[in-house]
Amino acid sequence: MITNIEVCIDNIESLHYAQQGGATRIELCSSLALGGLTPNFGLMQLAAKHASIPVYAMIRPRQGDFLFSDQDVEIMLADIYAVKKAGLQGVVVGVLNAQGQVDSVILRSLIKEAGSLGVTFHRAIDQCPEPFEALESIMSAGCERVLTSGLEASALDGAEMLRRMVDYCGNKLSIMAGAGVTADNVAEIIQKSNVHEVHLSGKSTRPSNMITYASQAHMGNADVDDFSIPVTSAEKVAAVIHAVACR
């Protein structure tokens, strides 16, 4: 039985859409286009004010790999403190060493700082050459769940590995399937993997509400349309929930 439909968002507008669609938990990020980075404190505070469901904040200080320096870890610890101060319910973390193993020392320090917050280990596990060794480290450290695509590009492609992970962890750690989850494939992913939680973005865009602007200027990469606003689609989230209910 599916117990949670988690939706990842990176703006306050999307929080309302995710809740309208029926999400049961939020992963709060910035920069979803980069895989999700730590949200700013203002967004954390406003999410805490407007959320009627649990909100877990991504703790990832930069894009790229999950091999973090001492100063990166300082930032992560400070950001976890900010999550507690903002009144959110949990954090999402992932730390590896140079050999692609879970860095248990750093992970335990992050969990210690989290205190009573819930802790999800994110898709850093999908970069681990020995995923079951990684699961042992994650369980031993005290995480609630791990978000994974089963080491493949999408959760559907990784469904067989996801099932192996579910069988391996039993009730010690929840395996949450994520990456490419849609209404069209969620039932198949669940059937093949036996996961009890799924994670999606429900990505869509809306046009800018600006009436007049200088369209030749770009705020960043010229390939990115500054006047197309990425938002979560309440309809896509609701469609996934409907597909889960009808399976």
Side-chain angles (χ1 to χ4, degrees), residues 108-169:
R108 288 177 183 275
S109 72
L110 299 179
I111 290 175
K112 181 178 179 181
E113 178 62 36
S116 61
L117 296 176
V119 180
T120 298
F121 193 95
H122 60 52
R123 289 190 61 211
I125 193 173
D126 292 326
Q127 295 185 0
C128 293
E130 300 293 338
F132 295 101
E133 176 186 283
L135 288 172
E136 283 292 341
S137 298
I138 293 165
M139 286 190 285
S140 178
C143 294
E144 295 176 306
R145 71 185 57 78
V146 59
L147 170 63
T148 173
S149 62
L151 282 69
E152 299 291 346
S154 72
L156 184 58
D157 291 339
E160 182 179 343
M161 174 59 79
L162 288 168
R163 177 175 280 274
R164 290 176 61 195
M165 290 176 163
V166 169
D167 292 343
Y168 186 84
C169 295

Side-chain angles (χ1 to χ4, degrees), residues 30-186:
S30 66
S31 303
L32 278 179
L34 301 177
L37 303 179
T38 305
N40 62 60
F41 186 58
L43 179 55
M44 291 184 198
Q45 286 185 306
L46 209 59
K49 178 180 178 180
H50 290 285
S52 58
I53 56 178
V55 177
Y56 281 44
M58 173 65 73
I59 304 298
R60 187 183 174 205
R62 56 158 175 78
Q63 70 181 89
D65 64 21
F66 304 104
L67 177 63
F68 294 114
S69 69
D70 290 344
Q71 290 187 328
D72 288 329
V73 174
E74 280 190 61
I75 294 169
M76 296 166 84
L77 291 168
D79 286 337
I80 292 173
Y81 177 80
V83 172
K84 291 188 289 188
K85 189 174 180 181
L88 301 183
Q89 287 70 46
V91 292
V92 182
V93 302
V95 288
L96 305 179
N97 62 25
Q99 289 72 44
Q101 301 164 317
V102 173
D103 191 318
S104 295
V105 173
I106 295 177
L107 179 58
R108 288 177 183 275
S109 72
L110 299 179
I111 290 175
K112 181 178 179 181
E113 178 62 36
S116 61
L117 296 176
V119 180
T120 298
F121 193 95
H122 60 52
R123 289 190 61 211
I125 193 173
D126 292 326
Q127 295 185 0
C128 293
E130 300 293 338
F132 295 101
E133 176 186 283
L135 288 172
E136 283 292 341
S137 298
I138 293 165
M139 286 190 285
S140 178
C143 294
E144 295 176 306
R145 71 185 57 78
V146 59
L147 170 63
T148 173
S149 62
L151 282 69
E152 299 291 346
S154 72
L156 184 58
D157 291 339
E160 182 179 343
M161 174 59 79
L162 288 168
R163 177 175 280 274
R164 290 176 61 195
M165 290 176 163
V166 169
D167 292 343
Y168 186 84
C169 295
N171 59 7
K172 299 176 187 175
L173 183 74
S174 177
I175 304 299
M176 180 164 59
V181 175
T182 69
D184 293 332
N185 63 23
V186 66

